[in-house]
Structures are given as structure tokens and as C-alpha cells.
Amino acid sequence: MKLATIKNDTRDGQLVVVNRDLTKAIRVSEVSKTLQEAIDNWDTIAPKLEKIYQQLQNGTASNTFDFDPTQAMAAIPRAYHWADGSAYVTHVELVRKARNAELPETFWTDPLIYMGASDAFIGANDDIKIENEDWGIDFESEVAVITDDVPAGVSVKNAQKHIKLIAIINDVSLRNLIPNELSKQFGFYQSKPWTSFAPVVVTPDELGNSWSDTKVHLPLISTLNSKIIGSPNAGIDMTFNFAQLIAHAAKTRSLMAGSIIGSGTVANQGSPNGSSCLAEVRCLEIIKNGKASTPFMSFGDRIEIEMKNETGNSIFGKIDQTVKSYKPMS
């Protein structure tokens, strides 16, 4: 099943069911007005949405319309909880190597995760609005999952059943603001502007055999200004799978329905196409040449992020964003 949230006159948008080819959709306000409402009542609402999806697939659904990804908001435009992991430890190891810092052994056994800003997410075609290029604008291509209610202390084995939807996201970072924030030993804030979602989210069954061990075993393709930066397979080198990330996040408290858990930047060790952000590209250049030659993003740059199935069809639709400047209001 594929779902999306399209723009209307509210902050939370309108839930729609989208067909597998991402060409047709149907409004489902009589079943659920928003995706958050659906997640809150998933056991009751999901079967109704699935029935509509099957009707959409076999051509028996009425009141369909052409799906326009530019009208898609983030799947959950504002969420109760957003926690981003760093599940690809080889990526962390590489970044530390570039600055001659050792990776603590515990990073291989204890997941890294931080709580992000969930008051607003943006759509796949919304501009990335940044005030200053000097802040070091970077994209981060990730996979994410959306859960129902997760009890505190959930086991890794039981955590997997709480994964209801899968997404791909662009978790934008302002790299030149990060060092000062982390030096305070209190985490990210200013260095993390809004995160964007691909046009649709999907249930795990849509991925078929590519969803295994709560990992997505498909390439995630990042294209900057028509040049492919990387296409690492999201199922390779993922040290901690999503069940492990969820269990870690829920160790001391429950997670509410609609919680979004990110994988962190997807990366494949030793692959020439293994990067999903410019920071990693720059680290590889530093290790090889002693300095970075690839700049961070500039105003006017276009980033596209997409994942395709084994037959080459887009699964989530494409994130297609342009970096734009904004002037702060006095």
C-alpha cells in the first residue's frame, strides 16, 4: 500500500491512497483525514485503506485523480516524535578518520541516535531555504520508518512488528554550524533545518524481498545538479537495523504512534558510489589528497533523491529540491 499527504487548507494536509505506479490517487477522508489519524488507529483503519488500494490497483475505484507529486506534503507534516540514528557506522568511522579521530569500540554495539525537530517536515518538491551559503549546506539521503505505539522496553524481536510505513528522506545539515554545536556536548539544533519526505510512504510488503531483517536492500540514488553523487545499497553496511534502532529509542519510555525513526546517512564502505552526502565525499578527498575539493551546496543547486525497485520503477517518488536563499525578517 502507498500513501501520501496532499496540500489542502490545513497544516496537516489530506491523506490519499496512491497506486503502485504513482500515477493515480484517491482521497480517503471518509476513512481517515490525515496519516497521523490513520497511524493512531492503524489496526482499524489500515485494512480499509488496503481495500481502497486494491480497488485503485485493479481499476474499480471511483473518484480517482491524477497524482501530482508537487502537491505532496511530507507524509506527516508535523509529528509527535522524530529520532534520527546513525546506523551506518562505517560512515561515522570515515568522518572521524578524516579528522584523525579514533572511533570508540562501543559505536559498533551501542546505536547513535538523537532527537530531531518534528514540528515541521517539508514536501519532496519544497525548496531548501537557507540564509547563508557559508553555513555549509549538505543533503543527507536516508531511509526512515514510521511506527505505531511502541511500548517501553520493547525487545528487538518485537520492535519489528511496530514498523508500519517506510519512507526516504533528505535530512539537510549545515555542516559548518555542527562543530560549534557539538563542542557544547548538547547535540544538534541550529545545524539541522527542516527534513523533507519523498512524495509517498509505503507499507513493508510493497518492498517484497527487498525488505528483510528490517532493512531495505535497494540502492538509494542521490543526484546533485544532474551528477550522481552516490547510489549505496541501504541494506549493506547498516550496522543497526530498524528494529534495533526502535528498541534503543524505546529503552526507557514508550514511543507514540507516528514516531519517525531515521537510519542516518546511507553509506557503503569502499564503494566508489557509496556516499549519500557531500560530507562523506569530502572526507574521502581529505584522506586521499589531504584536502577536500568538493564544495558544499550553493543557492540554485538541485538535489534529487530516489529509490527504485528491481524493475527500475520508483517506489517512493522522487525528492527534487532546489536550494534557495531567504532573508530573515527583522
Side-chain angles (χ1 to χ4, degrees):
M1 178 167 58
K2 298 192 176 188
L3 304 172
T5 296
I6 61 171
K7 299 173 183 177
N8 61 8
D9 58 357
T10 71
R11 290 190 179 192
D12 299 312
Q14 166 67 61
L15 179 65
V16 298
V17 176
V18 184
N19 69 350
R20 187 167 289 125
D21 294 335
L22 309 180
T23 57
K24 295 290 183 180
I26 184 168
R27 293 176 178 84
V28 290
S29 56
E30 74 283 358
V31 177
S32 181
K33 293 182 175 61
T34 66
L35 184 55
Q36 182 62 57
E37 180 185 344
I39 288 288
D40 283 339
N41 305 279
W42 191 252
D43 289 344
T44 301
I45 290 179
K48 297 177 182 178
L49 296 176
E50 177 65 33
K51 183 178 179 180
I52 294 171
Y53 179 66
Q54 294 304 324
Q55 292 171 344
L56 193 58
Q57 280 299 106
N58 62 31
T60 61
S62 57
N63 299 319
T64 63
F65 62 94
D66 293 337
F67 180 65
D68 180 0
T70 67
Q71 294 301 303
M73 305 171 71
I76 302 180
R78 46 181 178 170
Y80 291 115
H81 189 56
W82 156 230
D84 198 15
S86 192
Y88 299 85
V89 179
T90 55
H91 167 75
V92 183
E93 184 179 42
L94 177 66
V95 172
R96 284 179 168 253
K97 183 179 180 181
R99 63 172 191 262
N100 295 314
E102 290 188 9
L103 184 77
E105 282 298 318
T106 56
F107 279 34
W108 295 101
T109 57
D110 190 26
L112 288 168
I113 196 166
Y114 77 95
M115 188 182 298
S118 62
D119 58 318
F121 295 99
I122 59 176
N125 294 90
D126 291 338
D127 293 332
I128 301 170
K129 295 182 179 180
I130 306 295
E131 180 186 340
N132 193 330
E133 285 182 345
D134 293 338
W135 289 345
I137 308 164
D138 198 1
F139 65 90
E140 289 192 58
S141 305
E142 302 187 18
V143 180
V145 298
I146 303 174
T147 74
D148 62 2
D149 288 308
V150 180
V154 68
S155 67
V156 172
K157 180 180 178 180
N158 288 330
Q160 59 186 329
K161 69 183 181 182
H162 294 286
I163 298 171
K164 300 305 177 186
L165 295 164
I166 303 169
I168 60 171
I169 61 174
N170 180 13
D171 181 44
V172 177
S173 289
L174 303 177
R175 298 295 185 184
N176 293 338
L177 299 185
I178 288 177
N180 182 58
E181 290 205 297
L182 293 188
S183 69
K184 301 175 184 179
Q185 299 184 349
F186 213 58
F188 302 112
Y189 194 86
Q190 292 178 338
S191 53
K192 284 292 185 179
W194 285 338
T195 296
S196 58
F197 273 70
V200 305
V201 293
V202 310
T203 48
D205 60 289
E206 281 295 317
L207 298 175
N209 293 332
S210 297
W211 175 250
S212 176
D213 190 28
T214 65
K215 301 177 183 179
V216 179
H217 296 266
L218 289 169
L220 184 58
I221 308 162
S222 303
T223 306
L224 180 62
N225 298 327
S226 301
K227 177 184 177 181
I228 294 180
I229 299 298
S231 56
N233 189 303
I236 298 174
D237 294 324
M238 190 179 188
T239 308
F240 304 104
N241 63 24
F242 280 110
Q244 291 171 304
L245 293 176
I246 291 169
H248 181 82
K251 180 177 180 178
T252 60
R253 62 186 176 93
S254 301
L255 306 181
M256 296 298 99
S259 290
I260 303 167
I261 308 293
S263 67
T265 310
V266 176
N268 288 166
Q269 184 180 31
S271 169
N273 297 310
S275 301
S276 295
C277 66
L278 295 177
E280 180 164 313
V281 173
R282 288 166 58 88
C283 286
L284 289 167
E285 292 169 346
I286 291 171
I287 293 168
K288 181 179 180 180
N289 304 317
K291 64 178 182 179
S293 55
T294 298
F296 288 119
M297 297 171 75
S298 301
F299 297 141
D301 282 354
R302 179 186 182 188
I303 178 64
E304 300 167 85
I305 302 169
E306 190 172 24
M307 181 176 278
K308 298 180 180 180
N309 62 19
E310 294 174 347
T311 59
N313 295 317
S314 184
I315 299 171
F316 305 92
K318 182 187 292 186
I319 294 174
D320 188 351
Q321 297 180 282
T322 301
V323 181
K324 297 286 184 68
S325 64
Y326 76 83
K327 293 183 178 180
M329 298 180 66
S330 58

